[in-house]
Amino acid sequence: MISLTDSQKIGMGLTGFGVFFLFFGMVLFFDKALLAIGNILFVAGLSFVIGLERTFRFFFQKHKVKATSFFLGGVLVVLIGWPIIGVVLEIYGFFLLFRGFFPVAVGFIRRVPVLGSLLSLPGISRLVDKIGESNNMV
């Protein structure tokens, strides 16, 4: 089992609540307040989990400038009060930031018993294969 420090445990909780608020804000027709709370909790939780220095190094690498600007710009646009445009910008930035992680995640999910069989369905398998092999979703 992986041992977590207290700050990492707090970060996991903040990140989990952030994802919950983001999802709930989208379900409730892009509620500005819930999306703003979700964004703040998600970014704060991420910095607690991996640390402030590693968070800054991750977001502000030279080859991730475009992705970071879309993601953080989307957070800013949601905070200003345009939730739909902000969420679209955030999603695009999120995919650009984490595109190197998708093949690893797809490979892991394929080994999970129930989810692996779902990913083998005809329509889904083509999409998952494209995501799993593609390293440049630009």
Side-chain angles (χ1 to χ4, degrees), residues 70-101:
F70 271 103
F71 182 75
L72 295 178
V75 171
L76 182 68
V77 169
V78 167
L79 291 175
I80 288 173
W82 296 323
I84 296 174
I85 296 169
V87 168
V88 169
L89 291 174
E90 282 181 45
I91 290 171
Y92 182 66
F94 181 83
F95 280 121
L96 288 178
L97 277 171
F98 294 103
R99 67 180 167 200
F101 180 68

Side-chain angles (χ1 to χ4, degrees), residues 5-138:
T5 64
D6 287 339
S7 66
Q8 288 175 328
K9 291 177 187 175
I10 291 169
M12 293 295 290
L14 288 174
T15 304
F17 278 118
V19 170
F20 170 75
F21 277 106
L22 285 171
F23 175 74
F24 204 55
M26 284 189 237
V27 168
L28 293 176
F29 303 113
F30 294 95
D31 183 58
K32 291 182 242 183
L34 290 175
L35 290 173
I37 292 170
N39 283 327
I40 293 169
L41 289 175
F42 179 77
V43 173
L46 184 66
S47 63
F48 268 92
V49 170
I50 64 175
L52 278 175
E53 181 182 343
R54 289 179 67 191
T55 302
F56 282 114
R57 270 193 278 148
F58 175 76
F59 278 109
F60 297 110
Q61 296 174 5
K62 286 186 179 183
H63 65 279
K64 292 185 179 180
V65 171
K66 178 181 173 183
T68 300
S69 61
F70 271 103
F71 182 75
L72 295 178
V75 171
L76 182 68
V77 169
V78 167
L79 291 175
I80 288 173
W82 296 323
I84 296 174
I85 296 169
V87 168
V88 169
L89 291 174
E90 282 181 45
I91 290 171
Y92 182 66
F94 181 83
F95 280 121
L96 288 178
L97 277 171
F98 294 103
R99 67 180 167 200
F101 180 68
F102 289 137
V104 175
V106 167
F108 175 76
I109 292 172
R110 282 190 172 155
R111 287 186 236 136
V112 175
V114 175
L115 295 177
S117 59
L118 284 175
L119 294 182
S120 299
L121 294 174
I124 299 173
S125 67
R126 273 186 263 142
L127 176 68
V128 170
D129 288 341
K130 189 165 182 86
I131 291 172
E133 72 188 22
S134 171
N135 207 9
N136 52 3
M137 292 175 46
V138 179

